[in-house]
Amino acid sequence: MRKKTLKDFDFKGKKALVRVDFNVPLADGQITDDTRIQAALPTIQYLINEGARVILMSHLGRPKGEVNEAYRMDPVAQRLAELLNKEVSKVDDCIGPEVEEAVNNMQDGDVLVLENTRFYKEETKNDPDFAKKLASIADVFVSDAFGTVHRAHASTVGVAEHLPAVAGFLLQRELEALGDVMENPEHPFVAIMGGAKVSDKIGVIRNLMDKIDYLLVGGGIANTFIRAKGYETGKSLVEEDKLDLAKELLKEAEEKGVELVLPVDVVVADDFSNDANFKAVTIDNIPADWESLDSGGPKTIEKYSEIIKNARTVIWNGPIGVFELDNFAKGTFAIAEAMAESKARTIIGGGDSAAAIKKAGLEDKMTHISTGGGASLMFFEGKPLPGVEALDDLD
Ligand code: ADP
Ligand code: MG
């Protein structure tokens, strides 16, 4: 990796301002899933062991630039203390005198959690003064929130202008795993693209076209391709204004020698509901008043699984059906299983795809599941991530 990491800085006695992703799901003020806090522990623990004074900042929810009691970081600080089995302090602001005083009272190895950075509208605007104030309390900046490095905010980019800036372990692991597969993929290299809309994924598809051998298409995206090929798609989700684009992509794949594979059969329903009637039909038999909610008909599952099993590298973004509804999760789960059984390096990007893998209970069988939906997509698009660009280059 060409950016500095934790090993490139001597943290002893230094005030380390760490951008973590503590944006955990909450219900009635309780944390319902602490995966993100757990993911930040290796960096935090390392800094404690190195004798740094560890100052943690994050956003939480969407308070839209105002103080919002529901999005205070207190429950996060409390959970962190439990996980570290160590005292964790918390202040009710992220800049200003209260923060300065708390930081001045820190000893080596202490941990302090700042208040939600998005209580200030300056955060998402990457306001230079605000960034300067955030940075003013520290000696070094550690970026470890992969989930937000695709956004140029004060806490992800602005602070890096004022301090030495290095990547934490989580960020480093993400960049290495994603970078490796994009730079040195073993072939056959298979990409599976699903999700609702082609328009969300054009950049990714275009960038991958130069690298991959197979593109397996599923989900709402597949419906648009199926329609572009001239089939009737009934009431399926189709982006009418993207039919020409789909045709272009089909042509581009042919020119580049990429095998763009569409479903052979799909599961259609007479309503967008788990209680709807449903059946598998070949793509030339989609009834006019039904809709395709799962690209995983039995023949499609067989075909896709075979390609995945013979692959050496697989990247997956986007469920191939409405997996949130049990009756339409079959195709998505079958993809997950084929990936789990494959000897290929398997990389998953995208929030819903990661959730689907979890739901299938196959997390441990994958090479890497990215913790950043938007950030991993931007990475697959081949675009520079602002929060990574802002870090110090290796000499
Ligand atoms: P990710 O978060 O992994 O990037 P996306 O957000 O692009 O994935 O897509 C996930 C969404 O796509 C899911 O909510 C799923 O219900 C929806 N989806 C998948 N297939 C279909 C379909 N055939 N019709 C409508 N929605 C679909
Ligand atoms: Mg999503």
Side-chain angles (χ1 to χ4, degrees):
M1 209 172 77
R2 58 189 181 82
K3 291 293 177 182
K4 287 193 177 168
T5 59
L6 293 174
K7 308 282 184 199
D8 297 308
F9 193 86
D10 181 5
F11 286 96
K12 175 75 190 140
K14 299 292 191 217
K15 290 171 271 183
L17 180 63
V18 190
R19 178 49 156 109
V20 284
D21 181 1
F22 282 167
N23 184 29
V24 290
L26 294 167
D28 301 323
Q30 302 290 316
I31 297 168
T32 54
D33 179 356
D34 67 4
T35 308
R36 285 181 168 160
I37 305 177
Q38 304 240 25
L41 293 178
T43 292
I44 298 170
Q45 195 63 62
Y46 174 86
L47 292 170
I48 294 170
N49 295 347
E50 291 293 299
R53 303 173 184 205
V54 188
I55 307 158
L56 303 169
M57 64 175 167
S58 176
H59 75 286
L60 175 60
R62 295 178 183 270
K64 304 209 171 111
E66 283 170 22
V67 175
N68 183 326
E69 295 302 321
Y71 295 122
R72 286 203 181 274
M73 300 299 293
D74 298 65
V76 171
Q78 207 179 336
R79 178 64 59 90
L80 178 64
E82 287 162 22
L83 292 170
L84 289 171
N85 195 16
K86 178 182 169 60
E87 195 184 317
V88 169
S89 311
K90 149 87 188 14
V91 278
D92 293 334
D93 210 332
C94 61
I95 53 168
E98 189 197 350
V99 176
E100 281 160 30
E101 197 193 322
V103 170
N104 286 336
N105 289 330
M106 287 176 88
Q107 306 291 320
D108 295 357
D110 281 357
V111 179
L112 173 70
V113 174
L114 304 184
E115 191 53 275
N116 193 338
T117 52
R118 287 200 196 161
F119 282 1
Y120 288 88
K121 60 182 184 325
E122 290 87 347
E123 156 74 332
T124 53
K125 291 182 178 153
N126 192 13
D127 177 86
D129 283 338
F130 178 69
K132 203 169 169 185
K133 283 180 195 155
L134 278 175
S136 68
I137 51 161
D139 304 309
V140 56
F141 172 57
V142 177
S143 171
D144 211 24
F146 181 70
T148 53
V149 288
H150 60 309
R151 309 210 185 277
H153 292 169
S155 68
T156 59
V157 168
V159 286
E161 274 177 40
H162 305 282
L163 296 168
V166 305
F169 290 133
L170 173 65
L171 179 58
Q172 184 181 356
R173 189 159 50 86
E174 289 275 6
L175 295 175
E176 284 172 356
L178 301 178
D180 202 35
V181 63
M182 294 295 272
E183 281 153 31
N184 312 302
E186 273 189 68
H187 294 267
F189 183 1
V190 177
I192 308 154
M193 298 296 298
K197 293 181 176 171
V198 189
S199 45
D200 291 342
K201 309 282 162 88
I202 303 167
V204 180
I205 295 177
R206 282 246 150 89
N207 187 46
L208 289 177
M209 250 349 158
D210 292 322
K211 307 177 195 296
I212 55 176
D213 306 298
Y214 293 88
L215 177 61
L216 310 185
V217 182
I221 296 187
N223 299 338
T224 302
F225 276 97
I226 289 169
R227 174 71 141 271
K229 283 218 150 190
Y231 297 101
E232 281 309 320
T233 46
K235 288 185 176 160
S236 308
L237 173 71
V238 167
E239 281 174 286
E240 298 287 346
D241 60 336
K242 294 290 178 299
L243 295 179
D244 285 339
L245 173 77
K247 284 177 199 162
E248 264 172 48
L249 292 172
L250 284 162
K251 200 169 138 224
E252 198 177 322
E254 207 176 310
E255 285 164 6
K256 292 190 167 160
V258 174
E259 195 163 332
L260 195 157
V261 190
L262 294 178
V264 189
D265 51 0
V266 295
V267 179
V268 292
D270 61 359
D271 191 16
F272 192 100
S273 153
N274 205 45
D275 301 324
N277 295 305
F278 63 97
K279 58 184 177 187
V281 296
T282 50
I283 56 165
D284 52 353
N285 274 310
I286 299 174
D289 49 353
W290 291 50
E291 58 191 308
S292 166
L293 294 186
D294 183 3
S295 299
K299 292 195 190 81
T300 305
I301 289 181
E302 203 185 313
K303 189 172 180 183
Y304 284 21
S305 299
E306 189 65 23
I307 295 170
I308 293 166
K309 279 176 194 161
N310 292 324
R312 301 295 302 175
T313 307
V314 181
I315 62 176
W316 181 23
N317 175 258
I320 68 158
V322 184
F323 77 103
E324 297 92 336
L325 306 176
D326 288 342
N327 287 339
F328 308 103
K330 218 170 172 182
T332 298
F333 286 175
I335 294 283
E337 266 154 38
M339 286 174 75
E341 284 169 26
S342 169
K343 291 194 174 55
R345 228 165 354 145
T346 47
I347 310 284
I348 292 103
D352 291 296
S353 313
I357 297 270
K358 268 194 186 177
K359 209 170 162 189
L362 295 169
E363 294 152 279
D364 296 342
K365 301 269 164 90
M366 304 296 162
T367 309
H368 182 73
I369 302 175
S370 179
T371 55
S376 63
L377 268 188
M378 197 159 164
F379 197 97
F380 291 149
E381 280 179 55
K383 289 189 187 155
L385 301 164
V388 176
E389 293 303 301
L391 304 180
D392 295 347
D393 288 318
L394 278 172
D395 302 321

